[in-house]
Amino acid sequence: MGLTMMAPGSSPEQRGRLALQLRQVSWITCWIALYAVEALPTCPFSCKCDSRSLEVDCSGLGLTAVPPDVPAVTRTLLLLNNKLSALPSWAFANLSSLQRLDLSNNFLDQLPHSVFGDLTNLTELQLRNNSIRTLDRDLLRHSPMLRHLDLSINGLAQLPPGLFDGLLALRSLSLRSNRLQNLDRLTFEPLANLQLLQVGDNPWECDCNLRDFKHWMEWFSYRGGRLDQLACTLPKELRGKDMRMVPMEMFNYCSQLEDENSSAGLDIPGPPCTKASPEPAKPKPGAEPEPEPSTACPQKQRHRPASVRRAMGTVIIAGVVCGIVCIMMVVAAAYGCIYASLMAKYHRELKKRQPLMGDPEGEHEDQKQISSVA
């Protein structure tokens, strides 16, 4: 009816061609409308948007909060070099298409456990140069496609167990310039496809707590993984040395320590001691002893490896002390001998002088001898 009014007196063939053209135009119009909706319909204020790469660049704007009008089809969101100090749990809600997120060079100190809950397609996460001290073990739970993770230059002192569970696609991980002293091997075992690990510039304590992670590092290097230098800070004997170059013989005491701890736990039949009861209570016959926790018992000192320098210093000090004592004994013996010889000489001279002084006892003894002869 509409076609007849638009082209009166036209043939059926002309009307069919016109209808086909109208359909093509309507389809083209629909595709243009859909593309316009998909290609970033709105751009956040002061940010730069690229409709081809679906990138939103809000870096270096001094932002204190994430813009609320980020398009849902955004694939790259750049928020580096701002003043973000906290993120609400809904900061990235409805951004399920986001693949790359950069939050570097901000003031973030903690992250809610569900802040990345909607980022199921995230492949790269940059958190470099913030003030993050702790991480929740479920922080990356909903991002199984993550390939690159940068946590360098933060205040991390430890990593929660299970943080990397499910991140089978992770290829590179940076933990440089934090406060890490030791790491748990079980935390890194799920990363079967990891290729690059950066752990330098941390205050590593190369003791028993890092022994198992040393085994994992050797396995990681053996299968072709790249790892930067893990330089020891403590003990002093290993300061500056790469943990991978420290021989395993240095950690033989760890097994001895574990055996001592296990045997100590088996040798205690009753409850631990307390200040009120210095002797352990005897268990009742027929009933199993129930140990009660107590903080009053002295804990066994931690076994430490022998230090060659410390042992040599102890030997030197002991030798000096023994030498001083021996010298004092020789001086005392010499003084006693001199004193004894002087006293003997004095008594001999005294006896020689007694007859000259008119000793009455001497004269009486002479008279006794004369009377006995007579």
Side-chain angles (χ1 to χ4, degrees), residues 364-374:
H364 184 67
E365 290 179 355
D366 294 340
Q367 291 178 358
K368 286 183 179 180
Q369 292 177 358
I370 294 169
S371 62
S372 62
V373 172

Side-chain angles (χ1 to χ4, degrees), residues 71-109:
V73 294
T74 303
R75 295 181 181 176
T76 301
L77 178 58
L78 306 178
L79 293 169
L80 64 158
N81 300 325
N82 282 291
K83 298 180 180 180
L84 301 175
S85 59
L87 294 176
S89 58
W90 60 86
F92 307 106
N94 300 323
L95 295 180
S96 58
S97 299
L98 196 64
Q99 297 178 358
R100 183 187 175 198
L101 176 60
D102 195 338
L103 293 166
S104 303
N105 303 330
N106 280 280
F107 302 97
L108 299 173
D109 56 354

Side-chain angles (χ1 to χ4, degrees), residues 16 47 65 78 126 141 196 202 333 338 341:
C47 298
L78 306 178
Q126 298 285 337
R141 182 179 180 182
L196 174 63
N202 282 282
I338 294 172
S341 61

Side-chain angles (χ1 to χ4, degrees), residues 29 49 65 72 95 101 117 213 249 272 307 315 329:
T29 304
C49 299
L95 295 180
L101 176 60
F213 185 71
E249 289 75 13
S307 173
V315 171
M329 292 177 65

Side-chain angles (χ1 to χ4, degrees), residues 195-228:
Q195 299 176 359
L196 174 63
L197 177 61
Q198 297 177 340
V199 292
D201 299 329
N202 282 282
W204 299 110
E205 292 186 2
C206 299
D207 54 7
C208 293
N209 294 326
L210 203 61
R211 179 190 58 173
D212 292 339
F213 185 71
K214 172 180 169 60
H215 286 290
W216 183 87
M217 287 191 302
E218 294 175 352
W219 171 82
F220 178 70
S221 301
Y222 176 77
R223 69 177 179 85
R226 291 178 296 165
L227 181 70
D228 61 349

